[in-house]
Amino acid sequence: MPLNRRTFLGRSAAAGAGVAIAGGAVAGQAVAVEPASSRRPAKRYSFTVMGTTDLHGNVFNWDYFTDKEFDDKAHNDVGLAKISTLVDRIREERGRHNTLLIDAGDTIQGTQLSYYYAKIDPITAKRGPVHPMAQAMNAIGYDAAALGNHEFNYGIPVLRKFEEQCDFPLLGANALDAKTLRPAFAPYVIKRLRTPHGRDVRVAVLGLTNPGIAIWDKANVGGKMVFPGLEEQAAHWVPKLRSMGADVVIVSAHSGSSGTSSYGDQLPYVENAAGLVAEQVPGIDAILVGHAHSEIPEYFVTNAETGKQVVLSEPLKWGQRLTLFDFDLVWEKGRWSVEKVGAEVLNSNVVAEDPKITSLLGDEHTKVVAYVNQVIGTSVVAMSTARAPWLDEPIIDLINQVQAETVRAGLAGGAYAALPVLSQASCFSRTAGIPAGEVTIKDAAGLYPFENTLEARLLTGAQLKDYLEYSARYYMRTAVGVPVDTSKLTNADGIPDYNYDAVSGVAYDIDIAQPVGSRIVNLTFEGAAVDPAAEFVLAVNNYRASGGGNFPHVPGAKQVWADSDEIRNTIINWVKAKGSVDPAEFATVGWRLTREGSPVF
């Protein structure tokens, strides 16, 4: 494991040896050489900043949706217990006083462990528990964490209670109070590192969060907080930090590096702006990147104004990786300056879980395991999402059935009760399933791992077709006669599974031999071609309704109903009420992949 530190041993001697020839003396000319005894080696100091991001409630190397140890095709491991072991090793090697540990956000949402302590046994209750993520991060010794967009999913009171329970600041320089436009959270923290050369090194950590919060969690933050762009807020704060004596400036940004946005032009701010911050704002030495769930060990961006290289690194989500920023400083002109900085990531699957963390939170883990294994009903047959990205499978029909029924009940007796209700759903996990026989909370919850809520929006037939055409971009164009490889058929242009929607209530074919924008054919409702002017109600999750994925029409469509409960809970309660799940009651083949009219499968 690459834990050995880059050092500067021998560099001073090499620099001294070059002094006599550095000027290029003329032959025969006497050259005054400073006596070696009077030359002093430059003062240098090195330190390491460790970083995590997108932990999403993972403490243990455990998958609560399958109720077994986490594993994937790459045999990654997850959780803060693994990260803790890596952190201890780095601190032992570098010296704890020469290290800092920070995070780039999305901490308190994502697993049933984090859900349990937000909803089932909430930390906001009187004499409520301490959040497991706060306990673990406090025990490991984090120095700061940026706010992620998912921090706001459970509402501001839960976030504020979590903030209160943390022994380190939650940073969000661009999370502003909507009335005063002043920071609603600490914008930065400055840490001092003791050196053997007198003056401490002052390291500033500036936290930036994602402007998409304004739309993704509008119900929780609307009228309370606003979230301007990362670039403008970094440009405001970085000079201030330098004027306050910061020798090193690190940005912890819950924002990817690509410069793109998943919600188009709905906001005048870029969602994935970390690279733009590095390019546009002088004075930054390194950026810990989050939000995109990508792995970027080391990536350099040239600042347009100074020409200086800024290093970016994004460790893989859920505690699968730990970023190391290694800084080498030199004392010159009466101050510390960064001479060199590099980054790498360590894989958490090469170490064991730290028993300090697993024992600390063993009781919480046991409670959640018991909770997710509660039986809520039965299923006549087994259902799986394994083929759902390219086939209309009953398990996705189940989600759409629950959503459509819920919306119809919500519209009953109102102005829109007579309109047909359609529903959209995505395959969030290709490993989710409902077993034959007993169905537990973890089985139902595994279909919907996100805390999305349900809305109903009004669409025309023409808008529906546009929506489906946009969704169909997900498939690679495959000519007639060319063999279809399902391992390469989906995720065209990097579109994730959660941004492909299957819509129930209508029937349609997706011709994958056709170019994007011309793939939806035979779009019908109750056997007749869909009238472009006809009106439909679409049951849709709040992420999609607020612009997530940049699907057309829905964000601007009239909202005719909305629910505050998570879709996941709605599914669980539906199964409880039914008692027995039988796909024969709801499963239909409403869509299929074709090529020139012939089914692909």
Side-chain angles (χ1 to χ4, degrees):
M1 186 172 66
L3 294 178
N4 292 325
R5 186 187 180 91
R6 291 188 290 272
T7 66
F8 281 80
L9 292 177
R11 184 173 296 177
S12 297
V19 171
I21 61 172
V26 178
Q29 178 177 326
V31 179
V33 179
E34 182 182 2
S37 61
S38 67
R39 295 195 304 273
R40 295 182 179 178
K43 296 177 181 178
R44 287 188 164 84
Y45 174 69
S46 299
F47 69 96
T48 297
V49 176
M50 298 172 282
T52 55
T53 191
D54 296 278
L55 293 168
H56 283 288
N58 285 280
V59 173
F60 297 85
N61 186 41
W62 195 260
D63 185 343
Y64 292 97
F65 294 128
T66 61
D67 197 24
K68 60 185 179 182
E69 184 175 303
F70 177 87
D71 194 22
D72 61 13
K73 290 181 180 179
H75 300 298
N76 289 302
D77 287 345
V78 301
L80 278 170
K82 291 268 184 172
I83 291 296
S84 183
T85 302
L86 288 176
V87 168
D88 282 348
R89 284 194 179 186
I90 296 301
R91 285 172 173 163
E92 182 179 359
E93 184 182 283
R94 268 64 158 171
R96 186 184 181 103
H97 61 287
N98 297 322
T99 65
L100 296 173
L101 176 60
I102 63 176
D103 183 80
D106 274 5
T107 303
I108 60 171
Q109 175 277 336
T111 65
Q112 286 294 285
L113 180 70
S114 55
Y115 178 81
Y116 187 89
Y117 287 97
K119 292 288 190 175
I120 308 303
D121 185 11
I123 61 174
T124 49
K126 188 176 181 179
R127 292 188 294 275
V130 177
H131 199 287
M133 294 302 287
Q135 291 191 59
M137 295 174 82
N138 289 342
I140 296 169
Y142 273 77
D143 292 288
L147 293 165
N149 54 286
H150 283 289
E151 258 67 84
F152 294 85
N153 286 174
Y154 297 120
I156 292 175
V158 170
L159 176 54
R160 288 299 190 192
K161 188 63 177 181
F162 175 70
E163 179 187 30
E164 176 187 315
Q165 293 176 343
C166 290
D167 294 340
F168 52 90
L170 300 183
L171 307 178
N174 61 327
L176 310 182
D177 181 275
K179 294 181 180 178
T180 67
L181 297 184
R182 300 184 66 179
F185 295 84
Y188 65 88
V189 65
I190 296 180
K191 308 294 291 187
R192 287 179 175 265
L193 298 177
R194 183 69 55 84
T195 78
H197 305 297
R199 199 190 115 179
D200 296 346
V201 171
R202 286 167 286 193
V203 182
V205 181
L206 177 68
L208 296 170
T209 192
N210 204 287
I213 295 166
I215 56 173
W216 299 327
D217 267 304
K218 183 178 180 179
N220 291 325
V221 302
K224 300 174 183 176
M225 294 184 191
V226 294
F227 302 86
L230 283 81
E231 306 98 306
E232 68 174 65
Q233 291 301 302
H236 172 78
W237 285 104
V238 171
K240 287 183 178 292
L241 295 173
R242 290 293 184 182
S243 68
M244 293 165 63
D247 302 298
V248 178
V249 173
I250 301 167
V251 173
S252 184
H254 193 75
S255 180
S257 62
S258 65
T260 61
S261 292
S262 67
Y263 50 82
D265 59 358
Q266 293 181 67
L267 284 179
Y269 309 120
V270 176
E271 176 185 354
N272 296 302
L276 296 175
V277 171
E279 180 183 358
Q280 297 177 13
V281 181
I284 297 170
D285 296 297
I287 300 179
L288 178 64
V289 178
H291 183 62
H293 289 202
S294 300
E295 181 175 349
I296 305 174
E298 183 182 63
Y299 173 53
F300 288 95
V301 174
T302 302
N303 183 266
E305 181 175 328
T306 66
K308 177 182 175 181
Q309 294 279 290
V310 182
V311 65
L312 284 68
S313 181
E314 181 175 7
L316 199 57
K317 64 186 184 299
W318 305 346
Q320 295 179 52
R321 303 289 186 273
L322 176 70
T323 278
L324 303 183
F325 290 108
D326 282 322
F327 289 86
D328 296 304
L329 277 59
V330 62
W331 179 267
E332 55 185 12
K333 299 179 181 178
R335 62 181 297 272
W336 289 108
S337 62
V338 176
E339 188 172 47
K340 183 180 179 183
V341 58
E344 62 179 314
V345 295
L346 304 182
N347 194 328
S348 67
N349 72 3
V350 300
V351 297
E353 291 185 309
D354 185 346
K356 172 184 66 181
I357 303 303
T358 55
S359 62
L360 175 68
L361 292 163
D363 289 346
E364 286 83 349
H365 175 70
T366 300
K367 285 181 182 179
V368 175
V369 168
Y371 164 73
V372 299
N373 279 288
Q374 292 180 44
V375 176
I376 56 174
T378 62
S379 178
V380 174
V381 297
M383 294 178 281
S384 169
T385 58
R387 302 187 301 170
W390 57 86
L391 289 174
D392 187 348
E393 291 282 76
I395 198 164
I396 303 300
D397 292 337
L398 170 61
I399 299 173
N400 277 324
Q401 178 72 13
V402 172
Q403 293 182 162
E405 283 188 15
T406 304
V407 168
R408 286 192 194 98
L411 296 177
Y416 302 97
L419 291 179
V421 176
L422 314 180
S423 178
Q424 62 79 219
S426 301
C427 177
F428 293 122
S429 168
R430 298 192 186 194
T431 59
I434 298 292
E438 290 185 341
V439 178
T440 64
I441 284 177
K442 73 173 186 291
D443 299 323
L447 299 182
Y448 227 103
F450 300 106
E451 270 70 52
N452 296 144
T453 57
L454 187 61
E455 298 187 17
R457 297 288 178 115
L458 203 61
L459 291 184
T460 66
Q463 290 173 330
L464 172 65
K465 187 172 187 297
D466 288 346
Y467 187 99
L468 293 171
E469 287 284 8
Y470 185 84
S471 185
R473 302 174 311 129
Y474 172 75
Y475 295 106
M476 299 292 295
R477 189 176 184 183
T478 310
V480 175
V482 174
V484 176
D485 181 352
T486 56
S487 68
K488 300 177 181 177
L489 176 64
T490 62
N491 307 104
D493 296 324
I495 298 170
D497 291 348
Y498 63 77
N499 273 341
Y500 170 66
D501 287 357
V503 174
S504 71
V506 289
Y508 56 96
D509 293 342
I510 303 173
D511 191 336
I512 60 173
Q514 299 303 313
V516 168
S518 302
R519 293 180 170 179
I520 302 301
V521 293
N522 303 323
L523 176 58
T524 63
F525 172 69
E526 295 184 343
V530 168
D531 181 351
E535 286 189 318
F536 298 90
V537 173
L538 180 66
V540 59
N541 67 52
N542 68 306
Y543 173 75
R544 189 71 79 235
S546 64
N550 200 27
F551 276 63
H553 305 305
V554 171
K558 180 180 178 62
Q559 183 193 83
V560 295
W561 180 86
D563 191 10
S564 61
D565 201 10
E566 292 94 353
I567 294 171
R568 177 168 57 207
N569 279 346
T570 304
I571 295 172
I572 290 170
N573 290 332
W574 186 89
V575 174
K576 284 182 178 178
K578 293 285 288 185
S580 178
V581 178
D582 185 356
E585 298 177 0
F586 56 80
T588 60
V589 179
W591 62 272
R592 61 180 184 168
L593 302 185
T594 62
R595 287 185 292 189
E596 295 185 354
S598 298
V600 174
F601 302 106

